[in-house]
Amino acid sequence: MKKIVLLILMVATFACVSAQSKKVSILGDSYSTFIGIIPANYSSFYPNDRNDVTEIGQTWWSLYIQAKGYTLEKNDSWGGTTICGTGYGRMDSSRNNFIARVDSLGNPDLIFVFGGTNDAWANSPMGEYQYSDWTKEDCKNFRPAVACLIDLLKQRYPNAEFCFILNSELNETVNESMREICNHYNVKLVELHDIEKQNGHPSINGMKSICEQLLEAGL
């Protein structure tokens, strides 16, 4: 009996340690940036004198990682970037969009993809739903680009868990497109709601809400 109890304790301890050792990577835009954490040549929003988030520990991803006891593997977030290859003013953003940065996430166990905000704000073209044979021109449209991004992530990180995060207050076309594509690939999608913002970006309270909603979603 004692041996059985000991075995159960050992298994439980191993599971706990395994869970705590998860490595998290983020593929994102300005909502997930922080100077000194993201690559030096990337554009960052945080910290910013037009927003009360001034410390790394106040960001949604830092709060989440701390709450779960995980570690940060890579934060590849670049302010102003779109998922697709069409940015603001219809400029070609294929050089630094989400697709271009798929290989920059290290060796994560869990990947958060927090994007679509700039696609919505830039009024990037939606295109049609397309689930294979993407070209660069196809991926200048939002729907093919999201599908291509998921496919590339699954190929590059076959053992990782994925979660897409959808910002609040985006247009319904972007929202429904993200739902449809994530559902097609059976990828977890967390749709945020009631996120407090300053200058269009999550405040301290907004960051807390993002973390709480991720935890409530069972992540």
Side-chain angles (χ1 to χ4, degrees), residues 3-129:
K3 288 183 178 180
I4 294 174
V5 172
L6 181 60
L7 180 60
I8 292 172
L9 288 173
M10 288 174 65
V11 170
T13 301
F14 176 78
C16 182
V17 171
S18 178
Q20 290 179 348
S21 65
K22 278 190 177 181
K23 296 177 292 183
V24 178
S25 287
I26 301 131
L27 183 59
D29 54 30
S30 60
Y31 277 39
S32 305
T33 59
F34 204 93
I35 290 176
I37 298 298
I38 63 171
N41 62 313
Y42 286 14
S43 175
S44 180
F45 179 83
Y46 295 101
N48 191 299
D49 59 10
R50 294 169 292 170
N51 191 287
D52 62 4
V53 175
T54 59
E55 300 175 4
I56 292 172
Q58 296 168 328
T59 62
W60 70 265
W61 47 269
S62 182
L63 291 168
Y64 173 82
I65 288 170
Q66 182 177 7
K68 298 292 289 188
Y70 295 163
T71 58
L72 179 65
E73 174 73 357
K74 294 283 186 178
N75 186 338
D76 200 89
S77 298
W78 192 328
T81 55
T82 49
I83 290 177
C84 74
T86 304
Y88 291 93
R90 287 296 193 270
M91 295 291 290
D92 185 343
S93 61
S94 302
R95 179 183 65 86
N96 64 352
N97 68 350
F98 281 46
I99 291 172
R101 302 181 348 247
V102 163
D103 292 332
S104 303
L105 303 179
N107 185 31
D109 301 300
L110 172 60
I111 297 171
F112 285 111
V113 181
F114 195 171
T117 297
N118 289 302
D119 301 79
W121 290 356
N123 197 28
S124 299
M126 289 292 104
E128 302 299 325
Y129 293 107

